[in-house]
Amino acid sequence: MSSSWMGLVIGGFVPAVGYALFAIFTKSATQAGIGPGANLAFIGLATALVGMIFHLVLPTVPLTTRGALWATGSGILWAAGTGLVSFALMRYGIPVAKLNPIYNTNTLLAVVLGLVIFSEWKQVDVIKLSIGAVLILAGSLLVARA
């Protein structure tokens, strides 16, 4: 398997399975009686544990203040989004089958920002990417109306 494909499997497919299970576990947690704050606290503990394991097992680079600030910002944004997902599942009883595809349209925003901020448009086929983005959006709209 080429390095490019290996990167897509390790950084794409495997996390996709994990994120799908994350949605199921989050719904199960809210049904079992946990609020968004406590849910995030337990997720945070698990995240710290997995972070320590990754740090020990995978090659690391020297820690920089700038890198730590970016990582902290990403953690804050991820936690706020995760808390809102947990709240919506708990408070409004939204089916995870409808909610997950909608909040995962974040992919579209990440694609646009990556194309602009990191000039990734130079590395991808923008036509194919645009067609895929339209299909993602169409799918999300269909799911929201299901």
Side-chain angles (χ1 to χ4, degrees), residues 8-64:
L8 290 174
V9 169
I10 291 172
F13 179 73
V14 174
V17 172
Y19 291 139
L21 293 173
F22 166 77
I24 299 305
F25 280 36
T26 300
K27 174 81 175 196
S28 297
T30 62
Q31 289 178 330
I34 193 168
N39 188 42
L40 281 172
F42 283 105
I43 290 170
L45 291 172
T47 301
L49 176 64
V50 172
M52 286 185 247
I53 293 169
F54 267 62
H55 181 72
L56 294 172
V57 174
L58 298 177
T60 61
V61 296
L63 181 63
T64 66

Side-chain angles (χ1 to χ4, degrees), residues 20 23-24 27 85 88-89 92-106 136-146:
I24 299 305
K27 174 81 175 196
V85 167
L89 290 169
Y92 301 107
I94 302 295
V96 73
K98 287 179 74 169
L99 188 61
N100 190 275
I102 295 168
Y103 70 69
N104 277 312
T105 58
N106 68 72
I136 290 169
L137 184 57
S140 295
L141 291 172
L142 285 173
V143 166
R145 296 171 133 329

Side-chain angles (χ1 to χ4, degrees), residues 69-142:
L69 289 172
W70 281 111
T72 301
S74 69
I76 290 168
L77 293 168
W78 177 84
T82 298
L84 291 172
V85 167
S86 177
F87 177 74
L89 290 169
M90 181 187 69
R91 174 77 154 78
Y92 301 107
I94 302 295
V96 73
K98 287 179 74 169
L99 188 61
N100 190 275
I102 295 168
Y103 70 69
N104 277 312
T105 58
N106 68 72
T107 303
L108 300 174
L109 185 55
V111 165
V112 170
L113 292 173
L115 292 173
V116 174
I117 294 171
F118 300 117
S119 299
E120 291 178 351
W121 58 270
K122 298 174 185 176
Q123 300 170 281
V124 300
D125 183 334
V126 177
I127 300 296
K128 288 180 184 174
L129 192 67
S130 298
I131 292 169
V134 167
L135 291 172
I136 290 169
L137 184 57
S140 295
L141 291 172
L142 285 173

